[in-house]
Amino acid sequence: MASVLKIDNLSISFGGLKAVDNLSFEIEDKMIYGLIGPNGAGKTTVFNCITKFYTPNQGSVKFKTIEDKVVELMDYKVHEIVNLGLVRTFQNVELIKDLSIIDNLLIGAHSQYKSTVIAQAFMLKKARNEEKLMREKAMNILKDLGLEDKAEEIAGSQPYGVLKNVELARTLMSDPKLIIIDEPAAGLNETETEALAIMIRKIRDTYHCAILMVEHDMGLVMNTCERICAINFGKKLAEGTPDEIKKNKDVQEAYLGKEDDIA
Ligand SMILES: Nc1ncnc2c1ncn2[C@@H]1O[C@H](COP(=O)(O)OP(=O)(O)OP(=O)(O)O)[C@@H](O)[C@H]1O
Ligand SMILES: [Mg+2]
């Protein structure tokens, strides 16, 4: 499989409502891919199906793991997904406010510790070494992303824009092949959004992972994504390059009255 993620005929209904309706799309390795659509189009529901928060009624989601093995995500449970190399961020920042930035990254690495919980509790030599390695890894990630000055700062004391970047940094602790991010620019001002675009590209270029992004800020989507899938009422409207999507009549219609947003 040349792609890292391949979704085929995905469908899920809530009562009578088809939130995702026979949707298929594919993300190539190391690609920055956008999923767009008006409010309620089904974007977050697609994410929830991929990461197994929801169980779809129908469809297949194939994923190429860290070991280059193609697996069917429908066969896995929600907590197993991260170990395959797929990690997500949520619509709201999910960090522990009382902990330092670096400790927030270390919490994210939990699934990677090889020593047992008992060894960790007593801080046996093996666990101590592991802790040291993880701390080094976290510090390297913060350095790569220009966040090393923030390592010891308490998360709660930092501006929202920094926390958004820290959330992205934390995903890298699990060596992801694909990071999926839901509305990263929500709540950010223009300067912070521009910094975020640079950060997203830097993450892909440094860590060679693919990124799937849901975002309403069309500037960010069009400048950052290499391919885009537009959906409405759970169905695919169009798929293509940013230019193709901008020119697509069905997409323009779905954003009716908001042509300026998409143009
Ligand atoms: N757990 C649920 N139970 C019932 N309906 C749901 C559930 N989750 C989502 N829906 C419905 O499915 C549809 C798609 O919702 P979803 O949250 O995926 O949209 P979205 O594209 O992410 O929208 P937004 O841009 O506003 O975040 C909506 O009509 C929503 O009300
Ligand atoms: Mg959503």
Side-chain angles (χ1 to χ4, degrees):
M1 190 163 89
S3 45
V4 67
L5 190 82
K6 188 169 186 293
I7 296 180
D8 278 308
N9 304 318
L10 191 73
S11 296
I12 184 168
S13 300
F14 300 109
L17 174 91
K18 284 187 172 172
V20 179
D21 191 359
N22 228 9
L23 184 69
S24 305
F25 65 91
E26 200 170 333
I27 304 174
E28 275 173 40
D29 285 349
K30 306 182 187 100
M31 177 172 271
I32 305 180
Y33 194 99
L35 179 63
I36 65 167
N39 288 115
K43 304 177 298 294
T44 299
T45 305
V46 171
F47 278 14
N48 284 334
C49 290
I50 298 172
T51 51
K52 298 302 295 285
F53 275 97
Y54 292 163
T55 304
N57 302 116
Q58 155 198 308
S60 149
V61 183
K62 295 237 165 34
F63 177 69
K64 194 159 67 185
T65 68
I66 297 175
E67 280 116 28
D68 265 351
K69 205 174 111 196
V70 177
V71 297
E72 172 56 67
L73 289 182
M74 295 306 112
D75 299 337
Y76 287 81
K77 302 214 162 55
V78 63
H79 62 273
E80 295 170 331
I81 301 282
V82 65
N83 294 323
L84 298 173
L86 198 165
V87 63
R88 79 182 285 187
T89 68
F90 291 85
Q91 253 173 283
N92 304 309
V93 165
E94 307 246 335
L95 294 172
I96 300 174
K97 289 199 166 58
D98 299 334
L99 288 183
S100 67
I101 301 287
I102 192 155
D103 283 341
N104 267 288
L105 261 67
L106 290 168
I107 294 248
H110 222 73
S111 67
Q112 282 196 45
Y113 282 87
K114 299 272 185 298
S115 51
T116 64
V117 173
I118 292 177
Q120 284 177 37
F122 289 99
M123 270 298 177
L124 300 178
K125 193 156 177 265
K126 186 170 162 222
R128 265 204 312 272
N129 283 341
E130 204 163 33
E131 165 86 19
K132 192 166 157 265
L133 287 176
M134 286 296 174
R135 202 163 267 278
E136 276 168 21
K137 179 175 180 176
M139 202 58 208
N140 284 333
I141 291 171
L142 292 175
K143 270 188 201 143
D144 284 343
L145 302 186
L147 292 165
E148 71 266 40
D149 293 353
K150 303 283 183 191
E152 300 303 332
E153 300 287 344
I154 298 299
S157 73
Q158 293 301 303
Y160 196 68
V162 171
L163 299 183
K164 280 278 179 186
N165 289 337
V166 171
E167 257 200 324
L168 289 175
R170 184 174 60 175
T171 64
L172 295 168
M173 289 298 287
S174 59
D175 304 318
K177 289 270 292 181
L178 175 66
I179 305 174
I180 68 181
I181 50 185
D182 201 351
E183 298 202 27
L188 300 187
N189 64 35
E190 212 169 301
T191 319
E192 288 170 328
T193 305
E194 278 163 22
L196 181 78
I198 294 169
M199 183 68 81
I200 288 171
R201 270 189 236 113
K202 195 186 256 177
I203 286 175
R204 192 274 304 274
D205 294 344
T206 313
Y207 291 86
H208 311 294
C209 52
I211 294 172
L212 167 60
M213 164 166 74
V214 160
E215 182 50 59
H216 284 292
D217 184 317
M218 284 304 145
L220 180 63
V221 171
M222 296 297 166
N223 288 330
T224 320
C225 298
E226 290 143 332
R227 281 190 87 76
I228 296 168
C229 176
I231 64 171
N232 201 11
F233 302 111
K235 279 191 191 344
K236 191 198 271 190
L237 288 175
E239 208 255 341
T241 64
D243 268 349
E244 288 165 347
I245 293 295
K246 271 189 236 172
K247 288 183 194 137
N248 185 283
K249 290 273 170 285
D250 292 333
V251 177
Q252 286 172 2
E253 218 165 274
Y255 283 90
L256 202 64
K258 292 190 186 175
E259 282 96 341
D260 290 348
D261 285 359
I262 196 91

